[in-house]
């Protein structure tokens, strides 16, 4: 009888301990976020590679060579890129997109040439080519699966672009260390150019209000730069890779 009583007491104690343990939540309740809103704004930071100005830089080197000197430039390297974007729902998984883009390109080269003046002067030269490229994108984006929280969604899109390149060529000339003024060697030009863009990426919805994505974007645009009574192509086609933070509302 004592064994049965002891067993009942032990069994009851185990049940009470189990009940107390089960009453304590081992995991937090999963938060319900609700659907992802159908509008968003985003900010992207990354890099662009591909734009080139070889037609212009080759000419500047040849121009100096014809005057007994040289002015060799390298190629435009990987450059910084930034984008601010907006999306608005049009149809299931299809969104209208608008974005303002900015990228900066820079080239520098030293050299010298002999001026065609009387008397001729040996001139040391430093040139700096700076390109500030602004562009506005309008297009469509397609999400390959439904947007949902805690979900990784691939997407692609594209459309038209309006590019505004601001191109500055600064030239510093020196004759035996003394600054020299060379007419027409420092120029600045701005123009409005048409273009196109395409993009593909992966977006992860952290909540229904915030998401993060990784995107690859291809752009096509170009402009002209006039110097020494001739026009030279500047090509801005290239690929951007960027990380994006998005706020949905």
């Amino acid at each position: 009888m004592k064994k049965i009583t002891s067993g009942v007491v032990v069994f009851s104690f185990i049940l009470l301990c189990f009940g107390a343990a089960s009453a304590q939540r081992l995991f937090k309740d999963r938060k319900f976020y609700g659907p992802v809103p159908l509008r968003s704004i985003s900010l992207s930071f990354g890099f662009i590679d591909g734009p080139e100005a070889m037609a212009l830089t080759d000419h500047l080197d040849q121009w100096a060579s014809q005057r007994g000197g040289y002015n060799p430039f390298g190629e435009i390297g990987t450059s910084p890129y930034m984008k601010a974007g907006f999306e608005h729902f049009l149809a299931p998984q299809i969104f209208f997109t608008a974005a303002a883009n900015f990228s900066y390109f820079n080239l520098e080269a030293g050299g010298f040439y002999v001026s065609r003046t009387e008397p001729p002067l040996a001139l040391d030269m430093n040139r700096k080519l700076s390109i500030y490229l602004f562009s506005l994108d309008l297009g469509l984006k397609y999400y390959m699966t439904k947007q949902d929280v805690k979900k990784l969604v691939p997407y692609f899109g594209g459309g038209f672009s309006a590019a505004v390149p601001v191109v500055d060529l600064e030239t510093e000339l020196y004759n035996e260390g003394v600054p020299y003024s060379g007419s027409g060697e420092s120029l600045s030009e701005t123009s409005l150019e048409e273009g196109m863009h395409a993009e593909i990426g992966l977006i992860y919805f952290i909540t229904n209000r915030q998401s993060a994505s990784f995107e690859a974007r291809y752009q096509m645009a170009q402009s002209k730069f006039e110097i020494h009574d001739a026009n030279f192509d500047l090509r801005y086609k290239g690929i951007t890779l960027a990380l994006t933070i998005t706020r949905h509302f």
Side-chain angles (χ1 to χ4, degrees):
M1 184 70 180
K2 288 183 179 180
K3 290 184 179 180
I4 295 175
T5 304
S6 298
V8 171
V9 171
V10 172
F11 184 72
S12 300
F13 180 76
I14 293 173
L15 288 177
L16 288 172
C17 292
F18 182 80
S22 63
Q24 298 177 359
R25 299 186 182 276
L26 299 179
F27 303 99
K28 293 182 178 179
D29 288 337
R30 184 173 180 179
K31 186 175 181 180
F32 177 71
Y33 290 102
V36 177
L38 301 180
R39 291 181 297 176
S40 67
I41 55 175
S42 62
L43 191 61
S44 306
F45 296 95
F47 301 93
I48 180 171
D49 189 63
E52 54 94 0
M54 292 184 62
L56 173 60
T57 57
D58 285 351
H59 163 76
L60 294 175
D61 188 30
Q62 183 180 11
W63 183 86
S65 179
Q66 292 171 348
R67 288 157 178 77
Y70 62 88
N71 188 204
F73 284 81
E75 297 182 357
I76 295 176
T78 303
S79 304
Y81 166 81
M82 183 176 70
K83 179 177 77 170
F86 170 78
E87 292 185 15
H88 183 71
F89 174 83
L90 291 180
Q93 299 171 222
I94 300 176
F95 286 74
F96 164 78
T97 64
N101 307 274
F102 172 74
S103 47
Y104 171 72
F105 315 108
N106 176 46
L107 281 174
E108 295 186 38
F112 79 95
Y113 71 96
V114 178
S115 68
R116 293 180 175 177
T117 59
E118 289 298 334
L121 298 174
L123 299 173
D124 294 316
M125 172 172 50
N126 292 318
R127 289 195 194 269
K128 180 179 179 181
L129 178 66
S130 300
I131 303 173
Y132 305 86
L133 181 62
F134 303 88
S135 65
L136 176 64
D137 295 342
L138 296 176
L140 297 175
K141 181 182 289 185
Y142 178 73
Y143 289 88
M144 299 180 70
T145 60
K146 182 181 177 181
Q147 295 175 310
D148 201 1
V149 178
K150 304 298 182 183
K151 190 173 183 180
L152 187 64
V153 179
Y155 66 84
F156 63 89
F160 297 98
S161 302
V164 181
V166 180
V167 185
D168 290 323
L169 179 65
E170 299 179 10
T171 303
E172 297 177 345
L173 299 173
Y174 301 91
N175 174 234
E176 297 181 350
V178 178
Y180 179 85
S181 178
S183 178
E185 297 304 313
S186 291
L187 298 169
S188 181
E189 295 184 8
T190 303
S191 59
L192 176 63
E193 311 290 342
E194 71 277 5
M196 300 182 68
H197 72 278
E199 55 201 12
I200 186 171
L202 288 170
I203 183 169
Y204 181 75
F205 295 91
I206 303 168
T207 72
N208 65 333
R209 297 289 180 176
Q210 290 88 29
S211 65
S213 58
F214 178 77
E215 180 178 283
R217 175 179 176 273
Y218 180 74
Q219 69 179 26
M220 294 180 62
Q222 67 180 54
S223 68
K224 297 285 188 179
F225 189 82
E226 183 176 355
I227 188 172
H228 303 149
D229 298 320
N231 274 321
F232 301 94
D233 288 333
L234 304 178
R235 303 183 187 276
Y236 310 117
K237 65 179 181 180
I239 296 175
T240 65
L241 297 176
L243 292 173
T244 303
I245 300 298
T246 302
R247 173 70 176 175
H248 303 267
F249 63 96

mmCIF file with all atom_site columns, all heavy atoms in Angstrom, residues 6-30:
data_model
loop_
_atom_site.group_PDB
_atom_site.id
_atom_site.type_symbol
_atom_site.label_atom_id
_atom_site.label_alt_id
_atom_site.label_comp_id
_atom_site.label_asym_id
_atom_site.label_entity_id
_atom_site.label_seq_id
_atom_site.pdbx_PDB_ins_code
_atom_site.Cartn_x
_atom_site.Cartn_y
_atom_site.Cartn_z
_atom_site.occupancy
_atom_site.B_iso_or_equiv
_atom_site.pdbx_formal_charge
_atom_site.auth_seq_id
_atom_site.auth_comp_id
_atom_site.auth_asym_id
_atom_site.auth_atom_id
_atom_site.pdbx_PDB_model_num
ATOM 1   N N   . SER A 1 6  ? 3.191  5.870  -2.537  1.00 0.00 ? 6  SER A N   1
ATOM 2   C CA  . SER A 1 6  ? 4.425  6.582  -2.952  1.00 0.00 ? 6  SER A CA  1
ATOM 3   C C   . SER A 1 6  ? 4.453  6.779  -4.459  1.00 0.00 ? 6  SER A C   1
ATOM 4   O O   . SER A 1 6  ? 4.822  7.835  -4.976  1.00 0.00 ? 6  SER A O   1
ATOM 5   C CB  . SER A 1 6  ? 5.656  5.793  -2.494  1.00 0.00 ? 6  SER A CB  1
ATOM 6   O OG  . SER A 1 6  ? 5.686  5.685  -1.097  1.00 0.00 ? 6  SER A OG  1
ATOM 7   N N   . GLY A 1 7  ? 4.012  5.734  -5.178  1.00 0.00 ? 7  GLY A N   1
ATOM 8   C CA  . GLY A 1 7  ? 3.994  5.845  -6.633  1.00 0.00 ? 7  GLY A CA  1
ATOM 9   C C   . GLY A 1 7  ? 3.041  6.912  -7.115  1.00 0.00 ? 7  GLY A C   1
ATOM 10  O O   . GLY A 1 7  ? 3.316  7.663  -8.060  1.00 0.00 ? 7  GLY A O   1
ATOM 11  N N   . VAL A 1 8  ? 1.844  6.968  -6.455  1.00 0.00 ? 8  VAL A N   1
ATOM 12  C CA  . VAL A 1 8  ? 0.862  7.999  -6.814  1.00 0.00 ? 8  VAL A CA  1
ATOM 13  C C   . VAL A 1 8  ? 1.410  9.383  -6.544  1.00 0.00 ? 8  VAL A C   1
ATOM 14  O O   . VAL A 1 8  ? 1.251  10.314 -7.347  1.00 0.00 ? 8  VAL A O   1
ATOM 15  C CB  . VAL A 1 8  ? -0.455 7.770  -6.042  1.00 0.00 ? 8  VAL A CB  1
ATOM 16  C CG1 . VAL A 1 8  ? -1.395 8.953  -6.238  1.00 0.00 ? 8  VAL A CG1 1
ATOM 17  C CG2 . VAL A 1 8  ? -1.123 6.482  -6.480  1.00 0.00 ? 8  VAL A CG2 1
ATOM 18  N N   . VAL A 1 9  ? 2.104  9.534  -5.404  1.00 0.00 ? 9  VAL A N   1
ATOM 19  C CA  . VAL A 1 9  ? 2.681  10.841 -5.062  1.00 0.00 ? 9  VAL A CA  1
ATOM 20  C C   . VAL A 1 9  ? 3.746  11.249 -6.068  1.00 0.00 ? 9  VAL A C   1
ATOM 21  O O   . VAL A 1 9  ? 3.787  12.385 -6.546  1.00 0.00 ? 9  VAL A O   1
ATOM 22  C CB  . VAL A 1 9  ? 3.263  10.804 -3.632  1.00 0.00 ? 9  VAL A CB  1
ATOM 23  C CG1 . VAL A 1 9  ? 4.064  12.077 -3.361  1.00 0.00 ? 9  VAL A CG1 1
ATOM 24  C CG2 . VAL A 1 9  ? 2.166  10.624 -2.607  1.00 0.00 ? 9  VAL A CG2 1
ATOM 25  N N   . VAL A 1 10 ? 4.635  10.301 -6.407  1.00 0.00 ? 10 VAL A N   1
ATOM 26  C CA  . VAL A 1 10 ? 5.703  10.600 -7.383  1.00 0.00 ? 10 VAL A CA  1
ATOM 27  C C   . VAL A 1 10 ? 5.114  10.923 -8.741  1.00 0.00 ? 10 VAL A C   1
ATOM 28  O O   . VAL A 1 10 ? 5.523  11.872 -9.426  1.00 0.00 ? 10 VAL A O   1
ATOM 29  C CB  . VAL A 1 10 ? 6.674  9.405  -7.473  1.00 0.00 ? 10 VAL A CB  1
ATOM 30  C CG1 . VAL A 1 10 ? 7.652  9.621  -8.615  1.00 0.00 ? 10 VAL A CG1 1
ATOM 31  C CG2 . VAL A 1 10 ? 7.406  9.231  -6.156  1.00 0.00 ? 10 VAL A CG2 1
ATOM 32  N N   . PHE A 1 11 ? 4.125  10.101 -9.159  1.00 0.00 ? 11 PHE A N   1
ATOM 33  C CA  . PHE A 1 11 ? 3.483  10.338 -10.457 1.00 0.00 ? 11 PHE A CA  1
ATOM 34  C C   . PHE A 1 11 ? 2.798  11.690 -10.498 1.00 0.00 ? 11 PHE A C   1
ATOM 35  O O   . PHE A 1 11 ? 2.887  12.434 -11.487 1.00 0.00 ? 11 PHE A O   1
ATOM 36  C CB  . PHE A 1 11 ? 2.484  9.216  -10.729 1.00 0.00 ? 11 PHE A CB  1
ATOM 37  C CG  . PHE A 1 11 ? 1.835  9.308  -12.075 1.00 0.00 ? 11 PHE A CG  1
ATOM 38  C CD1 . PHE A 1 11 ? 2.541  9.028  -13.237 1.00 0.00 ? 11 PHE A CD1 1
ATOM 39  C CD2 . PHE A 1 11 ? 0.496  9.694  -12.190 1.00 0.00 ? 11 PHE A CD2 1
ATOM 40  C CE1 . PHE A 1 11 ? 1.947  9.122  -14.479 1.00 0.00 ? 11 PHE A CE1 1
ATOM 41  C CE2 . PHE A 1 11 ? -0.102 9.785  -13.425 1.00 0.00 ? 11 PHE A CE2 1
ATOM 42  C CZ  . PHE A 1 11 ? 0.623  9.505  -14.579 1.00 0.00 ? 11 PHE A CZ  1
ATOM 43  N N   . SER A 1 12 ? 2.121  12.040 -9.380  1.00 0.00 ? 12 SER A N   1
ATOM 44  C CA  . SER A 1 12 ? 1.452  13.346 -9.310  1.00 0.00 ? 12 SER A CA  1
ATOM 45  C C   . SER A 1 12 ? 2.463  14.478 -9.356  1.00 0.00 ? 12 SER A C   1
ATOM 46  O O   . SER A 1 12 ? 2.242  15.522 -9.995  1.00 0.00 ? 12 SER A O   1
ATOM 47  C CB  . SER A 1 12 ? 0.624  13.433 -8.018  1.00 0.00 ? 12 SER A CB  1
ATOM 48  O OG  . SER A 1 12 ? -0.365 12.433 -7.976  1.00 0.00 ? 12 SER A OG  1
ATOM 49  N N   . PHE A 1 13 ? 3.597  14.283 -8.680  1.00 0.00 ? 13 PHE A N   1
ATOM 50  C CA  . PHE A 1 13 ? 4.648  15.312 -8.693  1.00 0.00 ? 13 PHE A CA  1
ATOM 51  C C   . PHE A 1 13 ? 5.213  15.519 -10.097 1.00 0.00 ? 13 PHE A C   1
ATOM 52  O O   . PHE A 1 13 ? 5.448  16.636 -10.549 1.00 0.00 ? 13 PHE A O   1
ATOM 53  C CB  . PHE A 1 13 ? 5.762  14.901 -7.716  1.00 0.00 ? 13 PHE A CB  1
ATOM 54  C CG  . PHE A 1 13 ? 6.895  15.876 -7.649  1.00 0.00 ? 13 PHE A CG  1
ATOM 55  C CD1 . PHE A 1 13 ? 6.766  17.085 -6.966  1.00 0.00 ? 13 PHE A CD1 1
ATOM 56  C CD2 . PHE A 1 13 ? 8.107  15.606 -8.297  1.00 0.00 ? 13 PHE A CD2 1
ATOM 57  C CE1 . PHE A 1 13 ? 7.801  17.993 -6.918  1.00 0.00 ? 13 PHE A CE1 1
ATOM 58  C CE2 . PHE A 1 13 ? 9.149  16.503 -8.236  1.00 0.00 ? 13 PHE A CE2 1
ATOM 59  C CZ  . PHE A 1 13 ? 9.012  17.704 -7.557  1.00 0.00 ? 13 PHE A CZ  1
ATOM 60  N N   . ILE A 1 14 ? 5.424  14.383 -10.813 1.00 0.00 ? 14 ILE A N   1
ATOM 61  C CA  . ILE A 1 14 ? 5.919  14.478 -12.201 1.00 0.00 ? 14 ILE A CA  1
ATOM 62  C C   . ILE A 1 14 ? 4.923  15.215 -13.080 1.00 0.00 ? 14 ILE A C   1
ATOM 63  O O   . ILE A 1 14 ? 5.292  16.059 -13.913 1.00 0.00 ? 14 ILE A O   1
ATOM 64  C CB  . ILE A 1 14 ? 6.202  13.066 -12.747 1.00 0.00 ? 14 ILE A CB  1
ATOM 65  C CG1 . ILE A 1 14 ? 7.390  12.434 -11.993 1.00 0.00 ? 14 ILE A CG1 1
ATOM 66  C CG2 . ILE A 1 14 ? 6.489  13.122 -14.236 1.00 0.00 ? 14 ILE A CG2 1
ATOM 67  C CD1 . ILE A 1 14 ? 7.637  10.986 -12.354 1.00 0.00 ? 14 ILE A CD1 1
ATOM 68  N N   . LEU A 1 15 ? 3.632  14.915 -12.903 1.00 0.00 ? 15 LEU A N   1
ATOM 69  C CA  . LEU A 1 15 ? 2.610  15.605 -13.702 1.00 0.00 ? 15 LEU A CA  1
ATOM 70  C C   . LEU A 1 15 ? 2.589  17.099 -13.422 1.00 0.00 ? 15 LEU A C   1
ATOM 71  O O   . LEU A 1 15 ? 2.449  17.916 -14.331 1.00 0.00 ? 15 LEU A O   1
ATOM 72  C CB  . LEU A 1 15 ? 1.233  15.000 -13.419 1.00 0.00 ? 15 LEU A CB  1
ATOM 73  C CG  . LEU A 1 15 ? 0.967  13.603 -13.980 1.00 0.00 ? 15 LEU A CG  1
ATOM 74  C CD1 . LEU A 1 15 ? -0.426 13.115 -13.549 1.00 0.00 ? 15 LEU A CD1 1
ATOM 75  C CD2 . LEU A 1 15 ? 1.062  13.611 -15.502 1.00 0.00 ? 15 LEU A CD2 1
ATOM 76  N N   . LEU A 1 16 ? 2.755  17.457 -12.133 1.00 0.00 ? 16 LEU A N   1
ATOM 77  C CA  . LEU A 1 16 ? 2.778  18.878 -11.781 1.00 0.00 ? 16 LEU A CA  1
ATOM 78  C C   . LEU A 1 16 ? 3.986  19.575 -12.375 1.00 0.00 ? 16 LEU A C   1
ATOM 79  O O   . LEU A 1 16 ? 3.894  20.699 -12.888 1.00 0.00 ? 16 LEU A O   1
ATOM 80  C CB  . LEU A 1 16 ? 2.791  19.021 -10.248 1.00 0.00 ? 16 LEU A CB  1
ATOM 81  C CG  . LEU A 1 16 ? 1.487  18.677 -9.529  1.00 0.00 ? 16 LEU A CG  1
ATOM 82  C CD1 . LEU A 1 16 ? 1.705  18.682 -8.004  1.00 0.00 ? 16 LEU A CD1 1
ATOM 83  C CD2 . LEU A 1 16 ? 0.396  19.669 -9.907  1.00 0.00 ? 16 LEU A CD2 1
ATOM 84  N N   . CYS A 1 17 ? 5.155  18.907 -12.325 1.00 0.00 ? 17 CYS A N   1
ATOM 85  C CA  . CYS A 1 17 ? 6.366  19.504 -12.918 1.00 0.00 ? 17 CYS A CA  1
ATOM 86  C C   . CYS A 1 17 ? 6.226  19.658 -14.422 1.00 0.00 ? 17 CYS A C   1
ATOM 87  O O   . CYS A 1 17 ? 6.608  20.671 -15.008 1.00 0.00 ? 17 CYS A O   1
ATOM 88  C CB  . CYS A 1 17 ? 7.584  18.629 -12.586 1.00 0.00 ? 17 CYS A CB  1
ATOM 89  S SG  . CYS A 1 17 ? 8.028  18.647 -10.834 1.00 0.00 ? 17 CYS A SG  1
ATOM 90  N N   . PHE A 1 18 ? 5.635  18.615 -15.058 1.00 0.00 ? 18 PHE A N   1
ATOM 91  C CA  . PHE A 1 18 ? 5.446  18.677 -16.510 1.00 0.00 ? 18 PHE A CA  1
ATOM 92  C C   . PHE A 1 18 ? 4.489  19.794 -16.888 1.00 0.00 ? 18 PHE A C   1
ATOM 93  O O   . PHE A 1 18 ? 4.700  20.547 -17.846 1.00 0.00 ? 18 PHE A O   1
ATOM 94  C CB  . PHE A 1 18 ? 4.919  17.340 -17.013 1.00 0.00 ? 18 PHE A CB  1
ATOM 95  C CG  . PHE A 1 18 ? 4.731  17.304 -18.509 1.00 0.00 ? 18 PHE A CG  1
ATOM 96  C CD1 . PHE A 1 18 ? 5.803  17.100 -19.353 1.00 0.00 ? 18 PHE A CD1 1
ATOM 97  C CD2 . PHE A 1 18 ? 3.464  17.493 -19.063 1.00 0.00 ? 18 PHE A CD2 1
ATOM 98  C CE1 . PHE A 1 18 ? 5.623  17.068 -20.722 1.00 0.00 ? 18 PHE A CE1 1
ATOM 99  C CE2 . PHE A 1 18 ? 3.291  17.460 -20.432 1.00 0.00 ? 18 PHE A CE2 1
ATOM 100 C CZ  . PHE A 1 18 ? 4.366  17.248 -21.272 1.00 0.00 ? 18 PHE A CZ  1
ATOM 101 N N   . GLY A 1 19 ? 3.407  19.933 -16.068 1.00 0.00 ? 19 GLY A N   1
ATOM 102 C CA  . GLY A 1 19 ? 2.441  20.996 -16.331 1.00 0.00 ? 19 GLY A CA  1
ATOM 103 C C   . GLY A 1 19 ? 3.061  22.365 -16.167 1.00 0.00 ? 19 GLY A C   1
ATOM 104 O O   . GLY A 1 19 ? 2.799  23.285 -16.947 1.00 0.00 ? 19 GLY A O   1
ATOM 105 N N   . ALA A 1 20 ? 3.903  22.511 -15.134 1.00 0.00 ? 20 ALA A N   1
ATOM 106 C CA  . ALA A 1 20 ? 4.569  23.807 -14.911 1.00 0.00 ? 20 ALA A CA  1
ATOM 107 C C   . ALA A 1 20 ? 5.534  24.127 -16.039 1.00 0.00 ? 20 ALA A C   1
ATOM 108 O O   . ALA A 1 20 ? 5.623  25.258 -16.503 1.00 0.00 ? 20 ALA A O   1
ATOM 109 C CB  . ALA A 1 20 ? 5.292  23.778 -13.563 1.00 0.00 ? 20 ALA A CB  1
ATOM 110 N N   . ALA A 1 21 ? 6.272  23.089 -16.491 1.00 0.00 ? 21 ALA A N   1
ATOM 111 C CA  . ALA A 1 21 ? 7.236  23.309 -17.577 1.00 0.00 ? 21 ALA A CA  1
ATOM 112 C C   . ALA A 1 21 ? 6.535  23.656 -18.874 1.00 0.00 ? 21 ALA A C   1
ATOM 113 O O   . ALA A 1 21 ? 6.965  24.523 -19.629 1.00 0.00 ? 21 ALA A O   1
ATOM 114 C CB  . ALA A 1 21 ? 8.109  22.061 -17.753 1.00 0.00 ? 21 ALA A CB  1
ATOM 115 N N   . SER A 1 22 ? 5.409  22.962 -19.121 1.00 0.00 ? 22 SER A N   1
ATOM 116 C CA  . SER A 1 22 ? 4.686  23.227 -20.367 1.00 0.00 ? 22 SER A CA  1
ATOM 117 C C   . SER A 1 22 ? 4.003  24.577 -20.338 1.00 0.00 ? 22 SER A C   1
ATOM 118 O O   . SER A 1 22 ? 3.715  25.172 -21.369 1.00 0.00 ? 22 SER A O   1
ATOM 119 C CB  . SER A 1 22 ? 3.662  22.116 -20.620 1.00 0.00 ? 22 SER A CB  1
ATOM 120 O OG  . SER A 1 22 ? 2.699  22.101 -19.587 1.00 0.00 ? 22 SER A OG  1
ATOM 121 N N   . ALA A 1 23 ? 3.719  25.070 -19.121 1.00 0.00 ? 23 ALA A N   1
ATOM 122 C CA  . ALA A 1 23 ? 3.089  26.384 -19.009 1.00 0.00 ? 23 ALA A CA  1
ATOM 123 C C   . ALA A 1 23 ? 4.058  27.495 -19.390 1.00 0.00 ? 23 ALA A C   1
ATOM 124 O O   . ALA A 1 23 ? 3.656  28.576 -19.795 1.00 0.00 ? 23 ALA A O   1
ATOM 125 C CB  . ALA A 1 23 ? 2.580  26.597 -17.587 1.00 0.00 ? 23 ALA A CB  1
ATOM 126 N N   . GLN A 1 24 ? 5.381  27.234 -19.252 1.00 0.00 ? 24 GLN A N   1
ATOM 127 C CA  . GLN A 1 24 ? 6.387  28.219 -19.653 1.00 0.00 ? 24 GLN A CA  1
ATOM 128 C C   . GLN A 1 24 ? 6.637  28.085 -21.153 1.00 0.00 ? 24 GLN A C   1
ATOM 129 O O   . GLN A 1 24 ? 6.947  26.999 -21.639 1.00 0.00 ? 24 GLN A O   1
ATOM 130 C CB  . GLN A 1 24 ? 7.693  27.976 -18.885 1.00 0.00 ? 24 GLN A CB  1
ATOM 131 C CG  . GLN A 1 24 ? 7.547  28.140 -17.383 1.00 0.00 ? 24 GLN A CG  1
ATOM 132 C CD  . GLN A 1 24 ? 8.845  27.809 -16.674 1.00 0.00 ? 24 GLN A CD  1
ATOM 133 O OE1 . GLN A 1 24 ? 9.823  27.451 -17.313 1.00 0.00 ? 24 GLN A OE1 1
ATOM 134 N NE2 . GLN A 1 24 ? 8.828  27.933 -15.354 1.00 0.00 ? 24 GLN A NE2 1
ATOM 135 N N   . ARG A 1 25 ? 6.527  29.155 -21.874 1.00 0.00 ? 25 ARG A N   1
ATOM 136 C CA  . ARG A 1 25 ? 6.716  29.111 -23.324 1.00 0.00 ? 25 ARG A CA  1
ATOM 137 C C   . ARG A 1 25 ? 8.199  28.977 -23.659 1.00 0.00 ? 25 ARG A C   1
ATOM 138 O O   . ARG A 1 25 ? 8.998  29.818 -23.280 1.00 0.00 ? 25 ARG A O   1
ATOM 139 C CB  . ARG A 1 25 ? 6.145  30.367 -23.975 1.00 0.00 ? 25 ARG A CB  1
ATOM 140 C CG  . ARG A 1 25 ? 4.647  30.534 -23.736 1.00 0.00 ? 25 ARG A CG  1
ATOM 141 C CD  . ARG A 1 25 ? 4.097  31.711 -24.511 1.00 0.00 ? 25 ARG A CD  1
ATOM 142 N NE  . ARG A 1 25 ? 2.679  31.890 -24.245 1.00 0.00 ? 25 ARG A NE  1
ATOM 143 C CZ  . ARG A 1 25 ? 1.725  31.216 -24.876 1.00 0.00 ? 25 ARG A CZ  1
ATOM 144 N NH1 . ARG A 1 25 ? 2.061  30.320 -25.773 1.00 0.00 ? 25 ARG A NH1 1
ATOM 145 N NH2 . ARG A 1 25 ? 0.452  31.433 -24.584 1.00 0.00 ? 25 ARG A NH2 1
ATOM 146 N N   . LEU A 1 26 ? 8.501  27.899 -24.355 1.00 0.00 ? 26 LEU A N   1
ATOM 147 C CA  . LEU A 1 26 ? 9.894  27.690 -24.762 1.00 0.00 ? 26 LEU A CA  1
ATOM 148 C C   . LEU A 1 26 ? 10.260 28.571 -25.943 1.00 0.00 ? 26 LEU A C   1
ATOM 149 O O   . LEU A 1 26 ? 11.416 28.912 -26.148 1.00 0.00 ? 26 LEU A O   1
ATOM 150 C CB  . LEU A 1 26 ? 10.112 26.213 -25.118 1.00 0.00 ? 26 LEU A CB  1
ATOM 151 C CG  . LEU A 1 26 ? 9.860  25.230 -23.958 1.00 0.00 ? 26 LEU A CG  1
ATOM 152 C CD1 . LEU A 1 26 ? 10.083 23.804 -24.454 1.00 0.00 ? 26 LEU A CD1 1
ATOM 153 C CD2 . LEU A 1 26 ? 10.786 25.532 -22.785 1.00 0.00 ? 26 LEU A CD2 1
ATOM 154 N N   . PHE A 1 27 ? 9.278  28.946 -26.769 1.00 0.00 ? 27 PHE A N   1
ATOM 155 C CA  . PHE A 1 27 ? 9.513  29.778 -27.944 1.00 0.00 ? 27 PHE A CA  1
ATOM 156 C C   . PHE A 1 27 ? 8.509  30.923 -27.949 1.00 0.00 ? 27 PHE A C   1
ATOM 157 O O   . PHE A 1 27 ? 7.365  30.753 -27.530 1.00 0.00 ? 27 PHE A O   1
ATOM 158 C CB  . PHE A 1 27 ? 9.363  28.960 -29.238 1.00 0.00 ? 27 PHE A CB  1
ATOM 159 C CG  . PHE A 1 27 ? 10.268 27.768 -29.297 1.00 0.00 ? 27 PHE A CG  1
ATOM 160 C CD1 . PHE A 1 27 ? 9.805  26.508 -28.982 1.00 0.00 ? 27 PHE A CD1 1
ATOM 161 C CD2 . PHE A 1 27 ? 11.594 27.912 -29.665 1.00 0.00 ? 27 PHE A CD2 1
ATOM 162 C CE1 . PHE A 1 27 ? 10.636 25.403 -29.029 1.00 0.00 ? 27 PHE A CE1 1
ATOM 163 C CE2 . PHE A 1 27 ? 12.435 26.822 -29.711 1.00 0.00 ? 27 PHE A CE2 1
ATOM 164 C CZ  . PHE A 1 27 ? 11.964 25.570 -29.395 1.00 0.00 ? 27 PHE A CZ  1
ATOM 165 N N   . LYS A 1 28 ? 8.958  32.063 -28.454 1.00 0.00 ? 28 LYS A N   1
ATOM 166 C CA  . LYS A 1 28 ? 8.055  33.202 -28.562 1.00 0.00 ? 28 LYS A CA  1
ATOM 167 C C   . LYS A 1 28 ? 7.045  32.971 -29.675 1.00 0.00 ? 28 LYS A C   1
ATOM 168 O O   . LYS A 1 28 ? 7.336  32.268 -30.648 1.00 0.00 ? 28 LYS A O   1
ATOM 169 C CB  . LYS A 1 28 ? 8.848  34.488 -28.859 1.00 0.00 ? 28 LYS A CB  1
ATOM 170 C CG  . LYS A 1 28 ? 9.749  34.926 -27.712 1.00 0.00 ? 28 LYS A CG  1
ATOM 171 C CD  . LYS A 1 28 ? 10.463 36.219 -28.064 1.00 0.00 ? 28 LYS A CD  1
ATOM 172 C CE  . LYS A 1 28 ? 11.332 36.685 -26.914 1.00 0.00 ? 28 LYS A CE  1
ATOM 173 N NZ  . LYS A 1 28 ? 12.051 37.944 -27.243 1.00 0.00 ? 28 LYS A NZ  1
ATOM 174 N N   . ASP A 1 29 ? 5.891  33.561 -29.523 1.00 0.00 ? 29 ASP A N   1
ATOM 175 C CA  . ASP A 1 29 ? 4.892  33.474 -30.590 1.00 0.00 ? 29 ASP A CA  1
ATOM 176 C C   . ASP A 1 29 ? 5.440  34.127 -31.847 1.00 0.00 ? 29 ASP A C   1
ATOM 177 O O   . ASP A 1 29 ? 6.091  35.172 -31.789 1.00 0.00 ? 29 ASP A O   1
ATOM 178 C CB  . ASP A 1 29 ? 3.592  34.188 -30.176 1.00 0.00 ? 29 ASP A CB  1
ATOM 179 C CG  . ASP A 1 29 ? 2.849  33.402 -29.110 1.00 0.00 ? 29 ASP A CG  1
ATOM 180 O OD1 . ASP A 1 29 ? 3.084  32.183 -29.022 1.00 0.00 ? 29 ASP A OD1 1
ATOM 181 O OD2 . ASP A 1 29 ? 2.045  34.015 -28.385 1.00 0.00 ? 29 ASP A OD2 1
ATOM 182 N N   . ARG A 1 30 ? 5.183  33.498 -32.970 1.00 0.00 ? 30 ARG A N   1
ATOM 183 C CA  . ARG A 1 30 ? 5.597  34.083 -34.239 1.00 0.00 ? 30 ARG A CA  1
ATOM 184 C C   . ARG A 1 30 ? 4.748  35.308 -34.536 1.00 0.00 ? 30 ARG A C   1
ATOM 185 O O   . ARG A 1 30 ? 3.514  35.243 -34.485 1.00 0.00 ? 30 ARG A O   1
ATOM 186 C CB  . ARG A 1 30 ? 5.459  33.060 -35.364 1.00 0.00 ? 30 ARG A CB  1
ATOM 187 C CG  . ARG A 1 30 ? 5.972  33.580 -36.694 1.00 0.00 ? 30 ARG A CG  1
ATOM 188 C CD  . ARG A 1 30 ? 5.971  32.493 -37.743 1.00 0.00 ? 30 ARG A CD  1
ATOM 189 N NE  . ARG A 1 30 ? 6.458  32.993 -39.012 1.00 0.00 ? 30 ARG A NE  1
ATOM 190 C CZ  . ARG A 1 30 ? 6.584  32.244 -40.107 1.00 0.00 ? 30 ARG A CZ  1
ATOM 191 N NH1 . ARG A 1 30 ? 6.255  30.967 -40.058 1.00 0.00 ? 30 ARG A NH1 1
ATOM 192 N NH2 . ARG A 1 30 ? 7.036  32.762 -41.220 1.00 0.00 ? 30 ARG A NH2 1
#
